[in-house]
Amino acid sequence: MGRRTDGLRLWHYPDWRDGLTDALRLSAAMTSKFAVAGLPSGGGKAVVALPEGRELDTDRRRDVLRDVADVIASLSGAYATGPDVGTSPADMAVIGKTTPHVFCKPADLGGSGDSSPHTAQGALAALRAVSRRLCGTSSLGGRSFAVIGLGRVGAGLARLLAAEGAILTVTDIDPDKQKISDELGAVWRSPDETLAADVDIVVPAALGSMLTSRTAADLRCRAVVGPANNQLATPDVADLLHQRDIIWVPDYVASAGGVINAISTELHRVSADEARARVRAIEDTVDDLLDTAQRCGQTPAQAASELARRRLNGTSGPTGTNHGAVAVPGSVAR
Ligand SMILES: NC(=O)c1ccc[n+]([C@@H]2O[C@H](COP(=O)([O-])OP(=O)(O)OC[C@H]3O[C@@H](n4cnc5c(N)ncnc54)[C@H](O)[C@@H]3O)[C@@H](O)[C@H]2O)c1
């Protein structure tokens, strides 16, 4: 069995089965993410499903992380985790006390630390490729973007875009994030208004499934490209976007910077410069996908999924066609 890798999500769900569904969807996307990025791993995901309204105090959180660590240890290296929504490098340090199969521990504990700056850089690389397609230049100055979600990745990406002179509309469900908007001189709007903003590119950087058949009909942008996982409510939304001449770069391509950096530095032991170059190469990957899609009369989603399928079929060893999900209802969900 090949190794499966990707993060631990600690999030609220109406029912623990919803957490399991999320873990399965995310782990399938991770398999495609690793394949397109050329990384030797299958996709995996661990989800701790918290009941709605339930918060964890420090002791309870540590207990939950130890439960997760025990499950991962029992898999003997078939699955390795890392941070995702709701977890951090500090949480990985707790898990790392029980099992070595964990990425992105803090640097002083030998890990590669927070993945979100690398995810933001990877998304920036994808935006450059799309900007070249739309405007003939990869320069992002003067282009307009609507960034949805100013969390670890979204705020970092918005800062990178602002530093390049991009024109920003931003949003978050957390009103405190308006401070970041003010700092960047961005326009702050509601999530619905931001999704339907008249901009060059909408950048999803929040949680999944924002693109439905209804919201796709309301879009006024020329492209949707961002780091959020699982942006499409259903796969056919990619076709709707294509019919409207809106470029959609699959989320698993645009969001790969974090895992590329973590695996390159922690497994392949390459230098930080080499890891950065691998993250920047997302720009070439997106260029190639858009070329292939145009040449073959496909959507970028079809071109990416064919590339993933070819890589999975043509590769032996640690990369496998299967994905794995670990749901840990544990003591918390009871
Ligand atoms: N952190 C990484 O390295 C990484 C890697 C790959 C993919 N991603 C994906 O990128 C996305 C963001 O990850 P993150 O680490 O920044 O998470 P985060 O929890 O730090 O940030 C998410 C932000 O989105 C906001 N948000 C949630 N729902 C929203 C909505 N409906 N409208 C507007 N804002 C909303 C939250 O308030 C929060 O500020 C997630 O989909 C995650 O799976 C992250």
Side-chain angles (χ1 to χ4, degrees):
M1 182 165 55
R3 165 177 273 204
R4 291 106 184 220
T5 312
D6 206 59
L8 166 63
R9 181 165 292 198
L10 200 149
W11 197 243
H12 294 95
Y13 295 89
D15 186 280
W16 71 266
R17 290 172 198 82
D18 298 317
L20 180 59
T21 303
D22 208 17
L24 287 166
R25 264 163 53 87
L26 288 162
S27 62
M30 293 309 143
T31 296
S32 302
K33 183 182 289 193
F34 286 118
V36 171
L39 294 171
S41 181
K45 201 80 190 180
V47 166
V48 173
L50 296 178
E52 302 278 14
R54 179 76 173 272
E55 299 303 334
L56 297 178
D57 63 24
T58 309
D59 290 347
R60 204 82 166 117
R61 185 181 180 89
R62 194 194 51 235
D63 290 347
V64 167
L65 293 171
R66 285 178 177 163
D67 282 355
V68 172
D70 287 341
V71 174
I72 294 171
S74 75
L75 297 172
S76 308
Y79 169 70
T81 202
D84 188 60
V85 174
T87 57
S88 66
D91 296 325
M92 299 307 115
V94 176
I95 292 173
K97 287 183 180 157
T98 303
T99 171
H101 303 298
V102 57
F103 288 92
C104 300
K105 288 187 295 185
D108 59 350
L109 296 175
S112 57
D114 184 8
S115 58
S116 54
H118 310 287
T119 305
Q121 288 288 354
L124 191 76
L127 289 169
R128 287 192 200 290
V130 173
S131 175
R132 183 159 42 248
R133 184 70 37 157
L134 293 176
C135 313
T137 164
S138 61
S139 160
L140 302 174
R143 305 271 89 79
S144 53
F145 299 87
V147 181
I148 301 171
L150 294 177
R152 288 172 300 179
V153 182
L157 182 53
R159 288 195 171 94
L160 293 171
L161 288 168
E164 297 221 6
I167 302 160
L168 296 179
T169 301
V170 299
T171 190
D172 199 289
I173 48 170
D174 177 354
D176 275 354
K177 299 287 168 77
Q178 195 169 347
K179 288 197 267 281
I180 301 172
S181 173
D182 296 343
E183 169 203 325
L184 299 178
V187 175
W188 175 264
R189 292 273 182 264
S190 73
D192 285 349
E193 287 168 339
T194 306
L195 189 59
D198 186 4
V199 292
D200 292 316
I201 306 181
V202 164
V203 183
L207 300 190
S209 302
M210 288 206 159
L211 297 169
T212 64
S213 49
R214 188 188 60 77
T215 58
D218 291 341
L219 293 177
R220 289 190 292 160
C221 57
R222 302 168 69 195
V224 180
V225 186
N229 283 316
N230 285 0
Q231 294 166 18
L232 304 183
T234 50
D236 58 312
V237 177
D239 302 326
L240 296 177
L241 295 174
H242 189 63
Q243 282 155 20
R244 293 201 55 211
D245 268 339
I246 296 171
I247 296 175
W248 181 68
V249 172
D251 36 34
Y252 59 80
V253 180
S255 67
V259 290
I260 290 174
N261 180 71
I263 290 186
S264 297
T265 54
E266 295 192 42
L267 267 190
H268 302 165
R269 298 278 168 202
V270 305
S271 67
D273 279 351
E274 169 60 21
R276 266 193 292 275
R278 290 183 182 187
V279 171
R280 275 198 305 270
I282 289 176
E283 184 174 341
D284 302 329
T285 304
V286 174
D287 265 338
D288 290 347
L289 283 175
L290 296 179
D291 280 347
T292 305
Q294 193 169 30
R295 203 175 52 248
C296 303
Q298 296 175 313
T299 65
Q302 288 165 333
S305 107
E306 275 191 18
L307 174 61
R309 205 168 27 243
R310 273 200 309 279
R311 292 230 168 114
L312 290 165
N313 289 339
T315 313
S316 56
T319 303
T321 51
N322 49 5
H323 11 268
V326 182
V328 189
S331 49
V332 187
R334 288 198 285 272

Short mmCIF file of all heavy atoms in Angstrom, two decimals, residues 168-221:
data_model
loop_
_atom_site.label_atom_id
_atom_site.label_comp_id
_atom_site.label_asym_id
_atom_site.label_seq_id
_atom_site.Cartn_x
_atom_site.Cartn_y
_atom_site.Cartn_z
N LEU A 168 -7.84 45.29 -5.30
CA LEU A 168 -8.44 44.20 -4.52
C LEU A 168 -9.83 44.53 -3.98
O LEU A 168 -10.05 45.60 -3.40
CB LEU A 168 -7.55 43.86 -3.32
CG LEU A 168 -6.16 43.31 -3.62
CD1 LEU A 168 -5.42 43.05 -2.32
CD2 LEU A 168 -6.26 42.03 -4.44
N THR A 169 -10.73 43.56 -4.13
CA THR A 169 -11.98 43.52 -3.37
C THR A 169 -11.86 42.29 -2.49
O THR A 169 -11.41 41.24 -2.98
CB THR A 169 -13.20 43.36 -4.31
OG1 THR A 169 -13.20 44.45 -5.23
CG2 THR A 169 -14.51 43.33 -3.53
N VAL A 170 -12.19 42.38 -1.20
CA VAL A 170 -11.97 41.24 -0.31
C VAL A 170 -13.17 41.05 0.62
O VAL A 170 -13.98 41.96 0.80
CB VAL A 170 -10.69 41.43 0.56
CG1 VAL A 170 -9.45 41.54 -0.30
CG2 VAL A 170 -10.82 42.64 1.46
N THR A 171 -13.23 39.86 1.21
CA THR A 171 -14.32 39.57 2.14
C THR A 171 -13.91 38.46 3.10
O THR A 171 -12.95 37.72 2.84
CB THR A 171 -15.58 39.12 1.37
OG1 THR A 171 -16.69 39.08 2.27
CG2 THR A 171 -15.41 37.72 0.78
N ASP A 172 -14.65 38.36 4.20
CA ASP A 172 -14.53 37.23 5.12
C ASP A 172 -15.81 37.22 5.95
O ASP A 172 -16.43 38.27 6.13
CB ASP A 172 -13.29 37.38 6.02
CG ASP A 172 -12.88 36.05 6.65
OD1 ASP A 172 -13.60 35.56 7.55
OD2 ASP A 172 -11.85 35.50 6.24
N ILE A 173 -16.20 36.05 6.45
CA ILE A 173 -17.37 36.04 7.34
C ILE A 173 -17.00 36.59 8.72
O ILE A 173 -17.88 36.90 9.51
CB ILE A 173 -17.98 34.62 7.49
CG1 ILE A 173 -16.89 33.60 7.79
CG2 ILE A 173 -18.78 34.23 6.27
CD1 ILE A 173 -17.44 32.24 8.18
N ASP A 174 -15.71 36.69 8.99
CA ASP A 174 -15.24 37.23 10.28
C ASP A 174 -15.04 38.74 10.11
O ASP A 174 -14.12 39.17 9.42
CB ASP A 174 -13.92 36.53 10.64
CG ASP A 174 -13.32 37.07 11.92
OD1 ASP A 174 -13.87 38.05 12.48
OD2 ASP A 174 -12.30 36.50 12.36
N PRO A 175 -15.91 39.56 10.75
CA PRO A 175 -15.81 41.02 10.52
C PRO A 175 -14.48 41.61 10.96
O PRO A 175 -14.06 42.66 10.45
CB PRO A 175 -16.97 41.59 11.35
CG PRO A 175 -17.51 40.48 12.18
CD PRO A 175 -17.00 39.18 11.66
N ASP A 176 -13.77 40.93 11.89
CA ASP A 176 -12.46 41.43 12.32
C ASP A 176 -11.47 41.53 11.16
O ASP A 176 -10.49 42.29 11.21
CB ASP A 176 -11.85 40.49 13.36
CG ASP A 176 -12.35 40.82 14.76
OD1 ASP A 176 -13.06 41.84 14.88
OD2 ASP A 176 -12.05 40.05 15.68
N LYS A 177 -11.69 40.71 10.13
CA LYS A 177 -10.74 40.67 9.01
C LYS A 177 -10.79 41.95 8.16
O LYS A 177 -9.97 42.15 7.28
CB LYS A 177 -11.00 39.44 8.13
CG LYS A 177 -10.85 38.11 8.85
CD LYS A 177 -9.38 37.81 9.12
CE LYS A 177 -9.17 36.66 10.08
NZ LYS A 177 -9.35 35.36 9.54
N GLN A 178 -11.80 42.80 8.45
CA GLN A 178 -11.87 44.06 7.70
C GLN A 178 -10.62 44.91 7.95
O GLN A 178 -10.24 45.73 7.12
CB GLN A 178 -13.14 44.83 8.07
CG GLN A 178 -13.43 45.95 7.07
CD GLN A 178 -14.80 46.56 7.25
OE1 GLN A 178 -15.66 46.02 7.95
NE2 GLN A 178 -15.02 47.70 6.62
N LYS A 179 -9.95 44.66 9.10
CA LYS A 179 -8.70 45.38 9.39
C LYS A 179 -7.67 45.12 8.29
O LYS A 179 -6.92 46.01 7.89
CB LYS A 179 -8.12 44.89 10.73
CG LYS A 179 -8.89 45.36 11.94
CD LYS A 179 -8.07 45.21 13.20
CE LYS A 179 -8.27 43.97 13.91
NZ LYS A 179 -9.10 43.38 14.74
N ILE A 180 -7.63 43.85 7.85
CA ILE A 180 -6.65 43.51 6.79
C ILE A 180 -7.01 44.24 5.50
O ILE A 180 -6.15 44.76 4.79
CB ILE A 180 -6.63 41.98 6.56
CG1 ILE A 180 -6.27 41.26 7.85
CG2 ILE A 180 -5.67 41.61 5.43
CD1 ILE A 180 -6.41 39.74 7.78
N SER A 181 -8.32 44.30 5.23
CA SER A 181 -8.78 45.02 4.04
C SER A 181 -8.33 46.48 4.10
O SER A 181 -7.79 47.02 3.12
CB SER A 181 -10.31 44.92 3.97
OG SER A 181 -10.81 45.72 2.94
N ASP A 182 -8.53 47.11 5.27
CA ASP A 182 -8.14 48.52 5.42
C ASP A 182 -6.63 48.68 5.23
O ASP A 182 -6.17 49.60 4.55
CB ASP A 182 -8.54 49.04 6.81
CG ASP A 182 -10.07 49.04 6.99
OD1 ASP A 182 -10.76 48.95 5.97
OD2 ASP A 182 -10.53 49.09 8.15
N GLU A 183 -5.88 47.75 5.83
CA GLU A 183 -4.41 47.82 5.75
C GLU A 183 -3.95 47.76 4.28
O GLU A 183 -2.99 48.42 3.90
CB GLU A 183 -3.85 46.63 6.55
CG GLU A 183 -2.39 46.33 6.40
CD GLU A 183 -2.11 44.85 6.75
OE1 GLU A 183 -2.77 44.31 7.66
OE2 GLU A 183 -1.24 44.25 6.09
N LEU A 184 -4.67 46.99 3.47
CA LEU A 184 -4.24 46.79 2.08
C LEU A 184 -4.88 47.80 1.12
O LEU A 184 -4.61 47.76 -0.08
CB LEU A 184 -4.60 45.37 1.62
CG LEU A 184 -3.95 44.23 2.41
CD1 LEU A 184 -4.41 42.87 1.88
CD2 LEU A 184 -2.43 44.34 2.34
N GLY A 185 -5.73 48.66 1.65
CA GLY A 185 -6.42 49.61 0.77
C GLY A 185 -7.40 48.91 -0.16
O GLY A 185 -7.66 49.38 -1.28
N ALA A 186 -7.95 47.78 0.30
CA ALA A 186 -8.88 47.01 -0.53
C ALA A 186 -10.31 47.50 -0.31
O ALA A 186 -10.60 48.21 0.66
CB ALA A 186 -8.78 45.53 -0.18
N VAL A 187 -11.21 47.08 -1.18
CA VAL A 187 -12.64 47.33 -0.99
C VAL A 187 -13.21 46.13 -0.24
O VAL A 187 -12.98 44.99 -0.65
CB VAL A 187 -13.34 47.49 -2.36
CG1 VAL A 187 -14.85 47.62 -2.18
CG2 VAL A 187 -12.77 48.68 -3.11
N TRP A 188 -13.92 46.37 0.84
CA TRP A 188 -14.51 45.29 1.66
C TRP A 188 -15.97 45.13 1.27
O TRP A 188 -16.73 46.10 1.25
CB TRP A 188 -14.38 45.64 3.14
CG TRP A 188 -15.05 44.70 4.09
CD1 TRP A 188 -16.30 44.84 4.62
CD2 TRP A 188 -14.51 43.50 4.65
NE1 TRP A 188 -16.56 43.79 5.47
CE2 TRP A 188 -15.49 42.95 5.51
CE3 TRP A 188 -13.30 42.82 4.50
CZ2 TRP A 188 -15.29 41.77 6.23
CZ3 TRP A 188 -13.10 41.65 5.20
CH2 TRP A 188 -14.08 41.13 6.06
N ARG A 189 -16.37 43.92 0.91
CA ARG A 189 -17.76 43.65 0.52
C ARG A 189 -18.24 42.39 1.23
O ARG A 189 -17.45 41.65 1.80
CB ARG A 189 -17.86 43.42 -1.00
CG ARG A 189 -17.58 44.64 -1.84
CD ARG A 189 -18.86 45.46 -2.05
NE ARG A 189 -18.63 46.63 -2.89
CZ ARG A 189 -18.39 47.86 -2.45
NH1 ARG A 189 -18.33 48.10 -1.16
NH2 ARG A 189 -18.19 48.85 -3.30
N SER A 190 -19.52 42.09 1.12
CA SER A 190 -20.06 40.84 1.69
C SER A 190 -19.55 39.67 0.82
O SER A 190 -19.17 39.87 -0.34
CB SER A 190 -21.59 40.86 1.65
OG SER A 190 -22.02 40.69 0.31
N PRO A 191 -19.57 38.43 1.36
CA PRO A 191 -19.12 37.29 0.55
C PRO A 191 -19.88 37.17 -0.78
O PRO A 191 -19.27 36.94 -1.83
CB PRO A 191 -19.38 36.09 1.47
CG PRO A 191 -19.20 36.64 2.85
CD PRO A 191 -19.76 38.04 2.78
N ASP A 192 -21.21 37.35 -0.77
CA ASP A 192 -21.98 37.21 -2.02
C ASP A 192 -21.57 38.28 -3.03
O ASP A 192 -21.41 38.00 -4.22
CB ASP A 192 -23.49 37.31 -1.75
CG ASP A 192 -24.02 36.02 -1.11
OD1 ASP A 192 -23.28 35.03 -1.09
OD2 ASP A 192 -25.16 36.05 -0.62
N GLU A 193 -21.44 39.51 -2.54
CA GLU A 193 -21.05 40.60 -3.46
C GLU A 193 -19.66 40.36 -4.02
O GLU A 193 -19.39 40.66 -5.18
CB GLU A 193 -21.07 41.95 -2.70
CG GLU A 193 -22.45 42.46 -2.39
CD GLU A 193 -22.43 43.64 -1.40
OE1 GLU A 193 -21.43 43.79 -0.67
OE2 GLU A 193 -23.41 44.36 -1.36
N THR A 194 -18.77 39.82 -3.19
CA THR A 194 -17.38 39.62 -3.64
C THR A 194 -17.33 38.53 -4.71
O THR A 194 -16.62 38.65 -5.71
CB THR A 194 -16.49 39.26 -2.43
OG1 THR A 194 -16.67 40.27 -1.44
CG2 THR A 194 -15.02 39.20 -2.83
N LEU A 195 -18.11 37.48 -4.50
CA LEU A 195 -18.13 36.39 -5.50
C LEU A 195 -18.63 36.91 -6.84
O LEU A 195 -18.16 36.49 -7.90
CB LEU A 195 -19.01 35.25 -4.98
CG LEU A 195 -19.01 33.95 -5.76
CD1 LEU A 195 -17.61 33.36 -5.84
CD2 LEU A 195 -19.95 32.93 -5.11
N ALA A 196 -19.60 37.84 -6.79
CA ALA A 196 -20.19 38.35 -8.04
C ALA A 196 -19.53 39.65 -8.49
O ALA A 196 -20.07 40.35 -9.36
CB ALA A 196 -21.69 38.55 -7.85
N ALA A 197 -18.37 39.99 -7.94
CA ALA A 197 -17.73 41.27 -8.26
C ALA A 197 -17.26 41.30 -9.72
O ALA A 197 -16.89 40.29 -10.29
CB ALA A 197 -16.54 41.51 -7.33
N ASP A 198 -17.27 42.52 -10.28
CA ASP A 198 -16.85 42.72 -11.67
C ASP A 198 -15.32 42.90 -11.67
O ASP A 198 -14.82 44.02 -11.64
CB ASP A 198 -17.56 43.96 -12.21
CG ASP A 198 -17.29 44.16 -13.68
OD1 ASP A 198 -16.62 43.30 -14.29
OD2 ASP A 198 -17.75 45.18 -14.23
N VAL A 199 -14.61 41.79 -11.64
CA VAL A 199 -13.14 41.81 -11.53
C VAL A 199 -12.55 40.86 -12.58
O VAL A 199 -13.29 40.08 -13.19
CB VAL A 199 -12.66 41.34 -10.13
CG1 VAL A 199 -13.04 42.34 -9.05
CG2 VAL A 199 -13.22 39.95 -9.80
N ASP A 200 -11.23 40.93 -12.74
CA ASP A 200 -10.60 39.98 -13.67
C ASP A 200 -10.71 38.55 -13.10
O ASP A 200 -11.13 37.64 -13.80
CB ASP A 200 -9.11 40.33 -13.87
CG ASP A 200 -8.95 41.64 -14.63
OD1 ASP A 200 -9.67 41.83 -15.63
OD2 ASP A 200 -8.12 42.47 -14.21
N ILE A 201 -10.27 38.38 -11.85
CA ILE A 201 -10.20 37.01 -11.31
C ILE A 201 -10.79 36.96 -9.90
O ILE A 201 -10.43 37.77 -9.04
CB ILE A 201 -8.73 36.50 -11.27
CG1 ILE A 201 -8.08 36.63 -12.66
CG2 ILE A 201 -8.68 35.05 -10.79
CD1 ILE A 201 -6.63 36.13 -12.73
N VAL A 202 -11.70 36.01 -9.67
CA VAL A 202 -12.18 35.71 -8.32
C VAL A 202 -11.25 34.66 -7.72
O VAL A 202 -10.89 33.68 -8.38
CB VAL A 202 -13.64 35.21 -8.35
CG1 VAL A 202 -14.01 34.54 -7.04
CG2 VAL A 202 -14.59 36.37 -8.64
N VAL A 203 -10.86 34.88 -6.46
CA VAL A 203 -9.87 34.02 -5.80
C VAL A 203 -10.49 33.37 -4.56
O VAL A 203 -10.50 33.96 -3.48
CB VAL A 203 -8.64 34.87 -5.38
CG1 VAL A 203 -7.56 33.99 -4.76
CG2 VAL A 203 -8.08 35.65 -6.56
N PRO A 204 -11.04 32.16 -4.67
CA PRO A 204 -11.61 31.51 -3.49
C PRO A 204 -10.50 31.07 -2.52
O PRO A 204 -9.60 30.32 -2.90
CB PRO A 204 -12.34 30.28 -4.05
CG PRO A 204 -12.45 30.52 -5.53
CD PRO A 204 -11.25 31.36 -5.88
N ALA A 205 -10.57 31.57 -1.29
CA ALA A 205 -9.56 31.21 -0.28
C ALA A 205 -10.24 30.92 1.06
O ALA A 205 -9.64 31.08 2.11
CB ALA A 205 -8.53 32.33 -0.14
N ALA A 206 -11.51 30.52 0.99
CA ALA A 206 -12.24 30.19 2.23
C ALA A 206 -12.50 28.69 2.25
O ALA A 206 -11.65 27.91 1.86
CB ALA A 206 -13.53 31.00 2.29
N LEU A 207 -13.68 28.28 2.70
CA LEU A 207 -13.97 26.85 2.71
C LEU A 207 -14.75 26.48 1.46
O LEU A 207 -15.16 27.35 0.70
CB LEU A 207 -14.71 26.49 4.00
CG LEU A 207 -13.88 26.82 5.26
CD1 LEU A 207 -14.53 26.22 6.50
CD2 LEU A 207 -12.45 26.34 5.15
N GLY A 208 -14.94 25.18 1.27
CA GLY A 208 -15.31 24.67 -0.04
C GLY A 208 -16.70 24.97 -0.57
O GLY A 208 -17.52 25.61 0.08
N SER A 209 -16.93 24.50 -1.79
CA SER A 209 -18.25 24.44 -2.45
C SER A 209 -18.93 25.79 -2.63
O SER A 209 -20.15 25.89 -2.54
CB SER A 209 -19.18 23.51 -1.66
OG SER A 209 -18.60 22.24 -1.57
N MET A 210 -18.18 26.83 -2.92
CA MET A 210 -18.79 28.14 -3.17
C MET A 210 -19.38 28.24 -4.55
O MET A 210 -20.25 29.06 -4.81
CB MET A 210 -17.72 29.23 -3.07
CG MET A 210 -17.28 29.48 -1.68
SD MET A 210 -16.68 31.12 -1.49
CE MET A 210 -16.86 31.26 0.27
N LEU A 211 -18.88 27.40 -5.48
CA LEU A 211 -19.32 27.51 -6.86
C LEU A 211 -20.44 26.50 -7.12
O LEU A 211 -20.20 25.30 -7.22
CB LEU A 211 -18.14 27.29 -7.81
CG LEU A 211 -17.04 28.35 -7.68
CD1 LEU A 211 -15.80 27.92 -8.44
CD2 LEU A 211 -17.53 29.70 -8.19
N THR A 212 -21.65 27.02 -7.19
CA THR A 212 -22.83 26.19 -7.48
C THR A 212 -23.36 26.63 -8.85
O THR A 212 -22.89 27.64 -9.41
CB THR A 212 -23.93 26.43 -6.43
OG1 THR A 212 -24.36 27.80 -6.56
CG2 THR A 212 -23.41 26.20 -5.02
N SER A 213 -24.38 25.93 -9.36
CA SER A 213 -24.93 26.37 -10.65
C SER A 213 -25.52 27.78 -10.51
O SER A 213 -25.45 28.58 -11.44
CB SER A 213 -25.96 25.37 -11.16
OG SER A 213 -26.86 25.08 -10.14
N ARG A 214 -26.03 28.10 -9.32
CA ARG A 214 -26.61 29.44 -9.14
C ARG A 214 -25.52 30.52 -9.07
O ARG A 214 -25.56 31.50 -9.79
CB ARG A 214 -27.45 29.48 -7.85
CG ARG A 214 -28.24 30.76 -7.68
CD ARG A 214 -28.92 30.87 -6.33
NE ARG A 214 -27.99 30.84 -5.20
CZ ARG A 214 -27.24 31.88 -4.82
NH1 ARG A 214 -27.31 33.02 -5.47
NH2 ARG A 214 -26.41 31.78 -3.79
N THR A 215 -24.48 30.27 -8.22
CA THR A 215 -23.46 31.32 -8.10
C THR A 215 -22.65 31.43 -9.40
O THR A 215 -22.21 32.52 -9.76
CB THR A 215 -22.51 31.06 -6.91
OG1 THR A 215 -21.89 29.78 -7.06
CG2 THR A 215 -23.23 31.12 -5.58
N ALA A 216 -22.49 30.32 -10.12
CA ALA A 216 -21.75 30.38 -11.40
C ALA A 216 -22.47 31.31 -12.38
O ALA A 216 -21.83 32.03 -13.15
CB ALA A 216 -21.60 28.99 -12.00
N ALA A 217 -23.81 31.31 -12.32
CA ALA A 217 -24.57 32.17 -13.24
C ALA A 217 -24.41 33.64 -12.89
O ALA A 217 -24.56 34.51 -13.74
CB ALA A 217 -26.05 31.77 -13.19
N ASP A 218 -24.11 33.93 -11.61
CA ASP A 218 -23.99 35.33 -11.17
C ASP A 218 -22.59 35.91 -11.37
O ASP A 218 -22.38 37.11 -11.19
CB ASP A 218 -24.33 35.44 -9.67
CG ASP A 218 -25.80 35.17 -9.40
OD1 ASP A 218 -26.59 35.26 -10.37
OD2 ASP A 218 -26.15 34.86 -8.25
N LEU A 219 -21.61 35.07 -11.69
CA LEU A 219 -20.22 35.57 -11.75
C LEU A 219 -20.06 36.60 -12.86
O LEU A 219 -20.64 36.46 -13.94
CB LEU A 219 -19.26 34.40 -12.02
CG LEU A 219 -19.10 33.36 -10.91
CD1 LEU A 219 -18.17 32.25 -11.39
CD2 LEU A 219 -18.56 33.99 -9.64
N ARG A 220 -19.23 37.62 -12.58
CA ARG A 220 -18.95 38.64 -13.62
C ARG A 220 -17.45 38.71 -13.92
O ARG A 220 -16.98 39.62 -14.60
CB ARG A 220 -19.46 40.00 -13.16
CG ARG A 220 -20.99 40.06 -13.18
CD ARG A 220 -21.48 41.47 -12.96
NE ARG A 220 -21.20 41.94 -11.61
CZ ARG A 220 -21.16 43.21 -11.25
NH1 ARG A 220 -21.35 44.16 -12.14
NH2 ARG A 220 -20.92 43.55 -10.00
N CYS A 221 -16.70 37.73 -13.39
CA CYS A 221 -15.24 37.74 -13.58
C CYS A 221 -14.88 36.98 -14.87
O CYS A 221 -15.73 36.38 -15.50
CB CYS A 221 -14.57 37.07 -12.38
SG CYS A 221 -15.18 35.40 -12.13
#
